[in-house]
Amino acid sequence: MTDASRPARVTRLGPNQYGKAETRVVRIVRDGATHRVKDLNVSVALSGAMDDVHLSGSNATVLTTDTTKNTVFAFAKRHGIASTEQFGIHLARHFVTSQPSIHRARIRIEEYGWERIAAPGAGGGEHSFVRTGQETRTTEVAFDGGGWQVVSGLRDLVVMNSTDSEFWGFVKDPYTTLKETHDRVLATEVTARWRFNWTDEGRPAPDWDESYGQARRHLLEAFADTYSLSLQQTLFAMGSRVVENRAEVDEVRLSLPNKHHFLVDLEPFGLKNDNEVYFAADRPYGLIEGTVLREGAEARIPVTD
Ligand SMILES: O=c1[nH]c(=O)c2[nH]c(=O)[nH]c2[nH]1
């Protein structure tokens, strides 16, 4: 076929990545009779010289997704799981430095918490656990052979203030029916991600577990301390509290569904509702999202995911 008679190419390959998603690994550390549990959900995404596998079907540059899953399990034994961040760093470094075709690795990790059951019987406190019903800890580590980006966070952290929340002074148009309120319930389910300014292994890494615990504490304390005139204002206060108190964090991205609590009309029953009985609606919900940045820092956490 001559060039002139060859049909014009209408497609080309755009950005791509691959890897095993959601490898569930549980690592038990047996310190005598006292056991510790790390329970993770690890997703690996690799990218690099992967044109041929898409365009010609040659798999010569492909480290299989099955291998990436096996590596997660092997590294849980070989390196242990000191923290989600440290585990992600081990994995990302391994994939990028051991395979010439892999130029970038992104490791997402969710951690599910387990608490000891303090039963009076023998051994209960040492090897029996109950899943913490609260939040899930999250981490995303990205490495391109040069710099690191670590974004940690949490999701499903449900919080409520039963007062100290008002909402008034908003736009009224022909469709507005919402009543102004000077005392409402403010409840949300926090998804937070925060970006560390640590980018290279020449510098000491933060103490990941300490950082997580403190960031979580600051989010909760700011939620509780803020006399709220809107969930947007509370969002900014929560993100600011983390950035102001944690020098290792430059950016906090928050997604806060407004879990509306509507006062129930009890008049038909001859009862007065003095801010006591609410209908907790599950949908629709207002969705308040925003990023808080350290002065001079750039927004790098994606707005939508
Ligand atoms: O804190 C709030 N922010 C809003 O933007 C909003 N909109 C709304 O209906 N209720 C609320 N509450």
Side-chain angles (χ1 to χ4, degrees), residues 43 97 153 167 186 202:
S43 295
T97 58
F167 191 62
L186 187 67

Side-chain angles (χ1 to χ4, degrees), residues 166-167 178 184 186 228-232 258 260 288:
E166 306 187 18
F167 191 62
L178 187 71
R184 69 173 180 172
L186 187 67
S228 178
L229 297 177
S230 67
L231 188 50
Q232 288 89 332
N258 193 351
H260 301 298
I288 311 299

